Amino acid sequence: MNGTPRLHAAYPSTPRTDQKRPSQYGGGSGGLGSASKLQDMPSGTARGKDDFSTPLIPFDVIDAPSQRLYVLAFYFGLMAWRFYDYWRLVADDVDSLWLFMKWAAIDGAFLYGLPAMRVPWLEWSTSTTTIPLEAWLIAFTRILYDRELSVSEHRVKRADLLHSSSLIQGKQTIHILPEGSAVLNPLQTSFCLDNSKTSIQLPIRINQTDPILIELLRFDLDSNENETVTISAGQIKKLKKIADKELPKGDLVSPRFLRFPVKRTGLYRLQKVIDKSKLEVQRRLSDTLVVSCPKAALKSVGANKCRGELSNFVLEVEGTPPLKIKYSRSVNREDRGFSFQSIQPENLISPLIRQRTSGALITQSNTDVSWAQSQRISVPLNESLSTSGHWLYSIDEVHDACGNVANYSRRHEDSDRFSPKDSHLEQVFAVHERPLVALDGCDSQHPLKVAKGHSARLPLKFTSSGRAGKADASFTVSYLFTPLEQLAANGEHSADARMLDFVLPKGHDQPEIQQPGLYTLKSVTSEYCSGDILEPTSCLLYNPPEPDLSLTSEKIYDKCAGNSIGLLVDLDLIGTPPFRVYYNEVRAKDRQVFHRQKDFDRLRGQLELKPEEAGHYTYRFLGVGDSVYPSHSLQAKGLDLEQDVKPPASAHFIGGDYKKQACIEEPVSFDLRLQGEGPWTLEYELVHGGRRRKHTIPNIESEYYTITTEKLVDGGEYSLALASVTDKSGCKIFLDQEAKIDVRRQRPKVSFGQLESKRSALILEGKRVSLPLRLTGEPPWSLQYRNLNDSTARVLEKKVQYKNDVIEVKDQGTYEIVDVQDAVCPGTVDHSGNIFDVAWIPRPSISVSESPVLQRVGNKYVKSEVCEGEDDDFEVNLSGTPPYHIKYEQHLKPERGSASLNRKEFTAGLGIASIRMETSQAGTCEYRFYELGDHLYDHDSKKHAPLVVQQRVNARPSARFSNPGKTYSYCKEEEAGDEVIPITLSGTPPFSIEVSIKHHGSPKPQVISVPNIDSNRYDFRIPHRVLALGNHIVSMRKVRDARGCQRKMETDPPRVQVIVSDVPTISPIESRVDYCVGDRISYTLSGTQPFNVFYNFQGLDRKATSTSTTFRRVADKPGNFTITAIGDGASTCKARTEITKIIHQMPSVRMSKGRDAVVDIHEGGEAEITFDFGGTPPFEFTYTRSTTPRKGKRSQVLETKHDISYEHSKTVRASEEGTYEVIAIKDKFCAYSTWKAEGGKRGALGGGGGGQGLLMF
């Protein structure tokens, strides 16, 4: 089948009418261009098989009409796409060139590709295919021509209106000659001069300058006169050469420090600096004081002082007030601390007292610098010398008001061996005790008795005012003496009494006296100090008579046998009791001599001479002594006695121990010796509690016998009395000798005493404590005790001597007394007090209290999560003895980046301390408390378990539009056409967000809150109540997630654009009324295309047609532009309206009278820039400062400034280097800019009243 059947309903065989397909692009027609002529359908016999008439798609698959229908549908689809791009071109003002190139390529592909399909009636001839190329050429020419319809309905080139070189003319270039700054002593270093430091170097910092002259103004501190110190170019060159060596080689940018030597004190000020260009360099006002170095000295005092006196020495401090001095004091090599004193003269007025707010110390109106003079101030130090020994006062540091420090102690710290300070810096003296003297054992009522011809030591007792014992020096004692025969009747000194002195060297503290009389102490002095005389002060010395005696005797007979058993001698004594009589007893049978003595305390006494054995005895009295005369011989008197005796039977205890102690329920034994002729019968009594029990022991053959009692079951005192003894003669002799037996009523007992009313003690770990004991019985005691907490349970023994003795322990535990025994008996333990608990004072500990927000997890505590940037803290509980010293580590593992470690420490005075937590970064932060000490314990790593607190810091959530910058369409009335705005969220759902919607013409946005978003993606629909016709900027304001974290997007928030349209209306895209020449005045049309727009301009009514939803005209002339009506393609009705826009002429500005000017200044200087304006004030203009263009390099903008002028001319002053040119000008209504922003265009901007900010076009 070679052709399409020719039916009545088919297409005509040879269509010849041209079909015009309008295409709007860039405000004009174009696109496919003119309609091409279709080829005639060939007849079935006109072609051969090789004419390629067979369609590409066989007709049995898709018939020819359907193929033509599909091609036509595809073409209309391309047209719709083209109109969409055209609408974007108009609405968004995008670049039209690339759209033209795109559609030229699409049209070419379509027109040249369609014949290849070989669809009947749609095959073009060669001449026909050239028509689109001509249309493209016309369209391309039109793009380059770039003319638009204006409000006058003429086509104008908008670039000519926008880029008028006459609006902004002129520029000014400022060159700054190399000049920097100069500052005297920028670091405010303090300087001083003295004998050891005769010169200092004043630092002058110069920056970006090469001075040739520097002048310093010096104010003399003594005379207040000023002089100018000039630093010549040669000196500056040398100083600069030295300064260059302090910097790396090749460093020409960094500041230099010129160190100018100064040898005189004064106030120095940088007055003038001149550089190579003969211009003055900018300098900062800064005064520098060079004063005399502070110094101090101690005025010398005596090397010896007495206890209780005042130190009474003077510190002389010299320097610029106010001064501070630090001195140390040691007593007996024990440091007694140091003291600071702020020293200044009265009524001192000095700027150095108050805080300096500027570098100037004097003003032009007041150049008095006398306050900076060095002054000498004497500071008396009167401290009580309360301790004897070696005292040392030492000056360590002196500070003056400028900050100069004379450190005398550093000289010793820097030295490896001790070297004494200069004598004027140290004061060493000895403080001696004051002597005290009194008579010991002698006063007027108790005289000192001395034998005739003998001397005695005056019983002086020396003490000191401090510690017990003698003072540490020799003494001079003054006393008053009156001989015994010259004493007054009342026993006092006579008028002839003599004042005498004696010196006692060390070690001889009692002088010898011999002459009888009254001695009275008057004064005592040591080598350094005077002392005091204590009572008693007087002593009477006299010589008593020598002792003597006379005696008479008579025999003593045995009443039973009648034999002589001894002599009874009566003695009459003369002298000073007590007396001691010396005599010899001579036994005739063996000529044995017994030397005996007898003491008597009275002037009369009796002596019984009763030998124990029978025989002849001779008694020879040799001498007598009393308390004064030790022995006075009686041999010259021949006092001898003789007798023959036969002693009766007797018995007596031997061993001299007549009193014994015994334990209850134990027997007691006594040894006896019997006299007479045996055998003997002995009777004795045991007396106790008022009862007597007699015992008889017969037939005792030996003269030595031991009595053993029965067990004594009752406690108390027993008396064992010898009643009688009978010997061979049968005479019964009654005896009166007895022995005492003290039977303990109870056994010795032991218990622990109490410490502060309890049997427990708290001690420091490792320290000893004395446990008090309470013992009854006779010392010494043997004690056994143990520590119940000791795993070995070993029993310890201790010997104690006192009833209230102690045992020392150092281990904690429960101590139990096991057994006790005193010197006589085994004892018992008081079980009510045999336990003593010893516990260690707890070492300091650190903990945290668990709470709902702080839980223990494993071996660490976990704090509840917190949001990034929120303040948080936690409290640690401290136990022990405050203050506490804590060190801890802060480990931060951020979600991004590397981990960090920070060590901190603090001291806490209470049991609770608050730790501020690190929340500035999201991640995990761990706090490890690794060191803890308190007032009693230092840190012990072996006994301290680190406390770990961990917290998770959650990142703040974020929200953004899935398609940022996209423009969404909304209908005013219909919701079906609304587009959703997808939002992407990060964080933990559910989220809540706040969205700001700002209409293009409204200054205040509306905020919409959206709660409970359960996913990380949300389709946002804007409520119609907040929408108005026109453009809206929708921006993200705030987002909060389920963890309570939120993020406020205050700067550069994510945003999209929403356009709200209505039908059939016309509304200005911009709400402003005032426009400028060159502006596009655009309106949004709502309704059915095409639209007829009726307006009035310059008094003429005009009509325009728009085939799109946007009506736009270029303002080419000033005047009033008023939209009066609009109609759309749906009807012939016009919607009456009155939208008036006022078109204003563009403002203009001329800088430097419209010329390119070049001005040279120095740094610190200023140049004037003049602006002349044309237009309606006020004028706002933006100008830039850019680098001076160099060959081959583009200049760069350094800064942009904005200014306002209310007149037609304005002058500004500039001091920075660069090229200044205006890039934007704005008057009351219009603005113009030559600045090309990123992605924008150069040209004018419409005005909108005077409310715009910085013009950044």
Side-chain angles (χ1 to χ4, degrees), residues 1216-1234:
E1216 296 183 84
E1217 186 177 43
T1219 299
Y1220 294 80
E1221 57 182 326
V1222 178
I1223 61 170
I1225 176 65
K1226 178 179 180 294
D1227 66 357
K1228 183 177 180 181
F1229 302 105
C1230 301
Y1232 173 73
S1233 172
T1234 62

Side-chain angles (χ1 to χ4, degrees), residues 434-451:
R434 293 182 180 274
L436 303 176
V437 66
L439 294 171
D440 185 18
C442 180
D443 56 27
S444 59
Q445 303 301 322
H446 301 86
L448 185 64
K449 299 175 182 179
V450 181

Side-chain angles (χ1 to χ4, degrees), residues 490-595:
N490 58 359
E492 297 295 333
H493 288 282
S494 65
D496 297 330
R498 293 175 295 167
M499 183 66 71
L500 303 174
D501 296 328
F502 55 82
V503 178
L504 299 176
K506 297 179 181 179
H508 303 279
D509 53 2
Q510 289 188 334
E512 288 190 356
I513 55 176
Q514 185 177 9
Q515 185 177 0
L518 183 62
Y519 295 81
T520 300
L521 301 178
K522 290 300 182 180
S523 66
V524 60
T525 57
S526 68
E527 184 178 356
Y528 308 107
C529 305
S530 62
D532 295 325
I533 305 297
L534 304 179
E535 291 292 338
T537 59
S538 296
C539 179
L540 180 64
L541 185 147
Y542 82 101
N543 302 129
E546 295 180 340
D548 198 0
L549 67 83
S550 60
L551 54 85
T552 59
S553 63
E554 60 178 323
K555 291 184 177 182
I556 302 173
Y557 294 96
D558 185 2
K559 295 181 180 180
C560 177
N563 300 324
S564 175
I565 58 174
L567 288 175
L568 179 63
V569 181
D570 293 326
L571 300 176
D572 294 321
L573 298 165
I574 298 174
T576 304
F579 300 95
R580 176 167 291 176
V581 178
Y582 303 93
Y583 64 96
N584 290 340
E585 179 181 332
V586 181
R587 192 165 55 193
K589 67 176 181 178
D590 53 7
R591 306 303 296 172
Q592 185 174 359
V593 178
F594 299 95
H595 299 285

Side-chain angles (χ1 to χ4, degrees), residues 822-881:
D822 67 358
V824 180
C825 304
T828 60
V829 177
D830 185 359
H831 292 285
S832 65
N834 68 325
I835 299 296
F836 202 104
D837 293 319
V838 176
W840 287 336
I841 297 174
R843 299 188 71 86
S845 64
I846 183 171
S847 63
V848 295
S849 300
E850 293 192 43
S851 65
V853 298
L854 186 61
Q855 298 289 334
R856 185 180 182 91
V857 179
N859 58 353
K860 66 178 67 173
Y861 289 88
V862 178
K863 186 85 162 57
S864 60
E865 297 180 355
V866 71
C867 299
E868 179 183 358
E870 292 185 359
D871 293 336
D872 198 9
D873 59 13
F874 67 94
E875 290 183 347
V876 293
N877 300 322
L878 302 167
S879 64
T881 305

Side-chain angles (χ1 to χ4, degrees), residues 156 243 247 285 302 336 366 501 558 578 648 673 859 862 1044 1135 1188 1220:
V156 296
L247 298 174
L285 185 61
R336 294 294 181 91
N366 183 10
D501 296 328
D558 185 2
R673 182 180 179 185
N859 58 353
V862 178
T1188 304
Y1220 294 80

